[in-house]
Amino acid sequence: MSDTQRISRKFSQRAVMEAIVQGGPISRASIAKQTDLSKQTISEIVRQLELEGWIRETGRTSGHIGRTAVTYELIPDAAYIAAVDLGGTKVRVAIADLACHVFAEEVAPTDRRGGQFVVDQIAALCWQAAAAQNIPREKIRMAVVGAPGAPEQSTGRILMAPNIPGIQDMDVASALEKALGFDVTLENDVNLCVIGENWLGQGQGIDNLAYIAVGTGIGGGLMVNGQLVRGVGNAAGELGFLPFGADPFDPESLRTGAYERVVASFGIIERYRRLVGEAATVPEIFEKAAAGDEKAATVLDETARLLAQGVAAIAAIANPQKVILGGSIGLREELVVRVRKFLPQCFPYPVEVETSVLGARAAIVGATAIGLSHLHNALFGADAPDSRMSLPPAETVSFKEAVR
């Protein structure tokens, strides 16, 4: 078989598998209508996929005049994906099948020692989650790890993540692959959030979308014309380094960005301490504001004004249809209401601002999406010509039940 024929075969295989993923149970005649491939080619590919254990017969068509036809669907437990959300305070691991059903999920405080200790922790949580549901390790085919900062694909390091020591000095990707025994993809955690929201959350059907996570730090994920924006060093969306808020020329701003220092949790706590003269946690400040404490309310107002500036900066550059707020602080409705109030005062065009409906699982959903796409490419043929991910329609995904 020539190279041209081999490539053509790969794209044909991908087209057939995509039709089954998107429309199963589906007959070979329906696959032919969707793909314009010959019946012989489809029959050969279907037979191969069935022998390899990726698809199965589900019955026969009904309600049609004439002969019925055999229908096929994906076998969900033919392979599994480990989806990991690595944060500065928590690490969350989920094991999902090819239909996006989450069988097991484990959450633990992130090992403060960082580096290899965090790698070992992620591996242990993966095996713990798999064992809880009797999932064979050999069926887990890949992992997608979302982390704060900028994953460097050439070295496997994770840069700009000061809350997790050591990961900027080691090949995290290779260390994880050694510990797990299968392929690992690193991605910025907020990029995963915007992918998750675009697939199953507030951003469905929106090609120009932004996600801002506010918690211990702040980060952004951006989609333009349906494509994730990563930048040359995977550092697109590092909102913490916007040059306003604190002094961007302060040497500390090169480690923890000027904007992050004032709008994330540390900035909120520090503003309250300066105003009141005593310490309080972020949840306590929100509770005090809800109880009518004017100084706590002032702190939230100032935080919302700063956050509105960040939204305006994104809107001025990328003009998204919607901005979704997430993270432990960004999800607070009291803050979102204030942002909606202040945004029109600093930006002339309307911008829709909503809170995430996926909450803490947004990155896990996005990691599953990335994992399904990579696994699809690796197993069933070449990359999609338009680089779009091949994902089941949102209305058919069982993951949606898990995130409500």
Side-chain angles (χ1 to χ4, degrees):
M1 184 183 290
S2 69
D3 288 343
T4 300
Q5 289 173 317
R6 192 174 294 109
I7 292 170
S8 176
R9 180 74 173 186
K10 275 193 165 189
F11 277 113
S12 296
Q13 185 184 44
R14 182 189 175 93
V16 170
M17 195 63 194
E18 184 142 347
I20 295 171
V21 169
Q22 296 288 332
I26 188 171
S27 68
R28 282 176 288 186
S30 295
I31 295 173
K33 287 181 181 178
Q34 291 186 27
T35 63
D36 289 329
L37 295 172
S38 71
K39 291 181 180 179
Q40 180 181 345
T41 298
I42 291 169
S43 294
E44 291 173 359
I45 292 173
V46 165
R47 190 181 309 115
Q48 178 188 346
L49 292 171
E50 196 172 10
L51 285 172
E52 292 176 357
W54 296 109
I55 65 172
R56 63 190 173 200
E57 292 185 15
T58 56
R60 304 188 75 89
T61 56
S62 60
H64 300 284
I65 298 172
R67 296 173 59 188
T68 60
V70 176
T71 57
Y72 299 88
E73 70 176 3
L74 185 71
I75 299 176
D77 62 356
Y80 293 87
I81 296 157
V84 181
D85 181 12
L86 172 61
T89 56
K90 290 181 183 177
V91 56
R92 184 185 300 267
V93 174
I95 307 295
D97 67 8
L98 296 180
C100 309
H101 177 69
V102 175
F103 281 85
E105 190 169 352
E106 299 288 340
V107 183
T110 305
D111 193 315
R112 293 186 177 183
R113 294 171 292 179
Q116 185 64 43
F117 294 101
V118 169
V119 168
D120 294 339
Q121 181 184 32
I122 290 172
L125 289 172
C126 282
W127 304 142
Q128 186 177 326
Q133 295 296 326
N134 297 315
I135 297 170
R137 290 190 181 188
E138 62 271 15
K139 277 200 168 186
I140 305 176
R141 302 294 290 268
M142 78 170 303
V144 178
V145 179
E152 193 174 59
Q153 302 303 326
S154 60
T155 66
R157 298 185 302 162
I158 301 174
L159 309 179
M160 301 182 186
N163 293 325
I164 308 176
I167 60 173
Q168 73 279 2
D169 301 319
M170 66 180 291
D171 186 340
V172 179
S174 294
L176 280 168
E177 288 179 350
K178 182 178 179 181
L180 293 168
F182 44 76
D183 289 344
V184 172
T185 295
L186 297 179
E187 182 59 85
N188 172 268
D189 54 355
V190 190
N191 282 351
L192 294 181
C193 289
V194 76
I195 290 170
E197 290 287 343
N198 182 250
W199 181 26
L200 299 182
Q202 289 274 30
Q204 292 181 47
I206 297 176
D207 282 346
N208 294 282
L209 181 69
Y211 184 103
I212 299 176
V214 190
T216 306
I218 183 168
L222 183 64
M223 272 191 169
V224 176
N225 296 330
Q227 301 295 324
L228 185 65
V229 177
R230 288 189 173 91
V232 68
N234 272 326
E238 286 297 319
L239 299 184
F241 290 95
L242 285 171
F244 51 77
D247 179 6
F249 292 98
D250 184 331
E252 178 62 21
S253 294
L254 295 177
R255 180 181 180 276
T256 304
Y259 187 56
E260 181 168 293
R261 288 163 60 195
V262 296
V263 77
S265 59
F266 175 81
I268 297 173
I269 292 168
E270 181 61 18
R271 266 193 301 283
Y272 184 82
R273 187 193 62 78
R274 287 202 311 265
L275 189 62
V276 180
E278 62 183 49
T281 65
V282 172
E284 287 171 346
I285 294 168
F286 275 96
E287 290 170 8
K288 290 175 183 291
D293 185 319
E294 291 187 4
K295 291 183 178 179
T298 297
V299 169
L300 296 189
D301 282 344
E302 292 177 0
T303 303
R305 287 174 67 90
L306 287 163
L307 189 50
Q309 284 181 263
V311 173
I314 290 176
I317 294 169
N319 188 31
Q321 178 180 334
K322 181 182 286 190
V323 176
I324 299 171
L325 299 183
S328 58
I329 295 171
L331 285 170
R332 300 294 299 242
E333 188 63 30
E334 310 98 301
L335 192 62
V336 177
V337 168
R338 286 173 164 86
V339 170
R340 291 185 186 132
K341 170 187 171 184
F342 291 125
L343 186 56
Q345 299 175 22
C346 68
F347 193 73
Y349 308 116
V351 180
E352 191 176 353
V353 179
E354 300 285 352
T355 53
S356 166
V357 296
L358 303 182
R361 284 197 176 100
I364 288 291
V365 176
T368 304
I370 290 278
L372 284 172
S373 179
H374 283 309
L375 201 58
H376 191 115
N377 292 338
L379 296 170
F380 308 127
D383 289 345
D386 64 356
S387 299
R388 295 264 182 157
M389 287 179 282
S390 177
L391 298 170
E395 63 272 14
T396 69
V397 174
S398 56
F399 208 141
K400 204 167 185 180
E401 299 296 325
V403 295
R404 281 177 179 166

